[in-house]
Amino acid sequence: MTEDSPRRRLAAAMEQRRVELRLRWEELAKRARMSTANLRRLRNDETATLTPMRMADLESAFEWQPGTIQAILSGTDSRVGVGPEFEVEEREIDQGHVTFAVPPDLPEGDRQAIVRWAEEMAQRLMGRQKG
Protein backbone atom coordinates (compact mmCIF):
# COMPACT_ATOMS: atom_id res chain seq x y z
CA MET A 1 0.00 0.00 0.00
CA THR A 2 1.18 3.51 -0.71
CA GLU A 3 1.92 5.86 2.17
CA ASP A 4 -1.43 7.72 2.00
CA SER A 5 -3.60 5.24 0.17
CA PRO A 6 -7.29 4.95 1.07
CA ARG A 7 -6.74 1.53 2.59
CA ARG A 8 -3.77 2.79 4.63
CA ARG A 9 -6.04 5.52 6.06
CA LEU A 10 -8.71 2.92 6.82
CA ALA A 11 -6.20 0.59 8.48
CA ALA A 12 -4.90 3.47 10.63
CA ALA A 13 -8.41 4.51 11.64
CA MET A 14 -9.32 0.90 12.47
CA GLU A 15 -6.22 0.50 14.62
CA GLN A 16 -6.89 3.78 16.41
CA ARG A 17 -10.51 2.80 17.10
CA ARG A 18 -9.54 -0.72 18.21
CA VAL A 19 -7.24 0.79 20.82
CA GLU A 20 -9.95 3.27 21.92
CA LEU A 21 -12.45 0.43 22.34
CA ARG A 22 -9.80 -1.73 24.07
CA LEU A 23 -10.67 -4.71 21.91
CA ARG A 24 -8.65 -7.41 20.22
CA TRP A 25 -8.84 -7.93 16.47
CA GLU A 26 -10.53 -11.29 17.11
CA GLU A 27 -13.39 -9.59 18.96
CA LEU A 28 -13.78 -6.96 16.26
CA ALA A 29 -13.86 -9.67 13.58
CA LYS A 30 -16.59 -11.47 15.52
CA ARG A 31 -18.57 -8.23 15.88
CA ALA A 32 -18.22 -7.65 12.12
CA ARG A 33 -19.37 -11.21 11.39
CA MET A 34 -16.17 -12.14 9.59
CA SER A 35 -13.06 -14.21 10.19
CA THR A 36 -9.95 -12.69 11.69
CA ALA A 37 -8.10 -13.61 8.48
CA ASN A 38 -10.63 -11.70 6.34
CA LEU A 39 -10.39 -8.67 8.62
CA ARG A 40 -6.60 -8.81 8.34
CA ARG A 41 -6.86 -8.95 4.52
CA LEU A 42 -9.17 -5.92 4.51
CA ARG A 43 -6.68 -4.00 6.64
CA ASN A 44 -3.58 -5.00 4.66
CA ASP A 45 -4.66 -5.64 1.07
CA GLU A 46 -5.92 -2.87 -1.20
CA THR A 47 -7.49 -5.45 -3.52
CA ALA A 48 -9.74 -7.01 -0.85
CA THR A 49 -13.39 -6.29 -1.60
CA LEU A 50 -15.29 -3.84 0.61
CA THR A 51 -18.98 -4.19 -0.22
CA PRO A 52 -21.60 -1.79 1.21
CA MET A 53 -22.84 -4.56 3.54
CA ARG A 54 -19.28 -5.30 4.69
CA MET A 55 -18.75 -1.58 5.37
CA ALA A 56 -21.98 -1.48 7.41
CA ASP A 57 -20.86 -4.54 9.41
CA LEU A 58 -17.46 -2.97 10.07
CA GLU A 59 -18.98 0.38 11.05
CA SER A 60 -21.20 -1.44 13.52
CA ALA A 61 -18.25 -3.45 14.90
CA PHE A 62 -16.16 -0.30 15.36
CA GLU A 63 -19.15 1.65 16.70
CA TRP A 64 -18.86 4.20 13.90
CA GLN A 65 -21.67 6.20 12.30
CA PRO A 66 -22.94 4.99 8.91
CA GLY A 67 -20.79 6.40 6.14
CA THR A 68 -17.63 6.63 8.24
CA ILE A 69 -15.66 4.10 6.21
CA GLN A 70 -16.54 5.81 2.94
CA ALA A 71 -15.42 9.14 4.44
CA ILE A 72 -12.13 7.59 5.57
CA LEU A 73 -11.52 6.02 2.16
CA SER A 74 -12.27 9.28 0.36
CA GLY A 75 -9.94 11.20 2.68
CA THR A 76 -12.67 13.39 4.15
CA ASP A 77 -12.80 11.94 7.67
CA SER A 78 -11.06 13.97 10.35
CA ARG A 79 -10.37 11.02 12.66
CA VAL A 80 -7.27 10.19 10.58
CA GLY A 81 -6.13 13.79 10.20
CA VAL A 82 -7.12 14.45 6.60
CA GLY A 83 -9.83 16.36 4.78
CA PRO A 84 -11.48 19.75 5.06
CA GLU A 85 -13.48 21.02 8.01
CA PHE A 86 -17.04 19.71 8.13
CA GLU A 87 -20.35 20.85 9.49
CA VAL A 88 -22.22 18.45 11.73
CA GLU A 89 -25.79 17.65 10.74
CA GLU A 90 -28.15 16.04 13.21
CA ARG A 91 -31.55 14.57 12.43
CA GLU A 92 -34.25 12.88 14.43
CA ILE A 93 -35.59 9.82 12.68
CA ASP A 94 -38.41 7.40 13.52
CA GLN A 95 -36.29 5.09 15.66
CA GLY A 96 -33.69 7.47 17.04
CA HIS A 97 -31.09 10.03 16.11
CA VAL A 98 -28.44 10.26 13.39
CA THR A 99 -25.38 12.52 13.27
CA PHE A 100 -23.13 12.95 10.24
CA ALA A 101 -20.77 15.49 8.72
CA VAL A 102 -20.94 17.34 5.41
CA PRO A 103 -18.57 19.83 3.77
CA PRO A 104 -19.67 23.43 4.44
CA ASP A 105 -19.32 24.49 0.78
CA LEU A 106 -21.47 21.68 -0.60
CA PRO A 107 -24.27 22.81 -2.95
CA GLU A 108 -27.69 22.62 -1.28
CA GLY A 109 -28.96 19.88 -3.62
CA ASP A 110 -25.97 17.69 -2.78
CA ARG A 111 -26.37 18.41 0.93
CA GLN A 112 -30.02 17.33 0.78
CA ALA A 113 -29.03 14.14 -1.06
CA ILE A 114 -26.51 13.31 1.68
CA VAL A 115 -29.10 14.00 4.38
CA ARG A 116 -31.60 11.66 2.68
CA TRP A 117 -28.93 8.98 2.28
CA ALA A 118 -27.79 9.23 5.92
CA GLU A 119 -31.36 9.03 7.19
CA GLU A 120 -32.07 6.02 4.97
CA MET A 121 -28.91 4.21 6.09
CA ALA A 122 -29.68 4.90 9.74
CA GLN A 123 -33.21 3.52 9.28
CA ARG A 124 -31.81 0.37 7.62
CA LEU A 125 -29.21 -0.20 10.29
CA MET A 126 -31.64 0.38 13.14
CA GLY A 127 -34.10 -1.98 11.50
CA ARG A 128 -31.38 -4.61 11.13
CA GLN A 129 -30.44 -4.31 14.80
CA LYS A 130 -34.05 -4.92 15.86
CA GLY A 131 -34.43 -8.01 13.67
Side-chain angles (χ1 to χ4, degrees):
M1 284 189 275
T2 62
E3 190 64 31
D4 189 37
S5 71
R7 286 295 178 93
R8 172 104 34 210
R9 286 192 302 271
L10 179 58
M14 290 168 72
E15 174 63 18
Q16 178 182 337
R17 186 65 175 150
R18 182 191 69 80
V19 170
E20 290 170 1
L21 295 171
R22 296 187 171 125
L23 294 173
R24 297 171 46 122
W25 287 113
E26 294 81 4
E27 178 60 26
L28 286 165
K30 183 178 176 182
R31 285 177 166 206
R33 302 182 304 178
M34 63 191 317
S35 71
T36 305
N38 281 341
L39 181 57
R40 186 181 315 100
R41 269 192 291 283
L42 283 172
R43 291 180 10 241
N44 298 322
D45 180 5
E46 291 183 335
T47 63
T49 304
L50 254 177
T51 64
M53 185 59 76
R54 177 67 71 207
M55 284 192 263
D57 288 342
L58 288 167
E59 287 166 343
S60 177
F62 283 90
E63 299 176 12
W64 283 334
Q65 295 291 323
T68 298
I69 290 177
Q70 192 58 49
I72 292 168
L73 292 172
S74 68
T76 59
D77 187 88
S78 62
R79 82 187 72 240
V80 288
V82 295
E85 292 296 316
F86 282 74
E87 295 176 356
V88 174
E89 295 278 341
E90 297 187 34
R91 296 287 189 274
E92 293 297 323
I93 56 174
D94 293 340
Q95 300 140 333
H97 184 84
V98 63
T99 303
F100 53 95
V102 294
D105 57 348
L106 199 64
E108 188 57 31
D110 292 342
R111 178 184 292 274
Q112 290 174 2
I114 289 173
V115 168
R116 284 191 305 274
W117 177 85
E119 289 172 342
E120 179 182 323
M121 290 305 297
Q123 295 267 358
R124 286 184 188 178
L125 289 171
M126 288 178 187
R128 195 171 91 191
Q129 290 174 354
K130 284 185 173 182

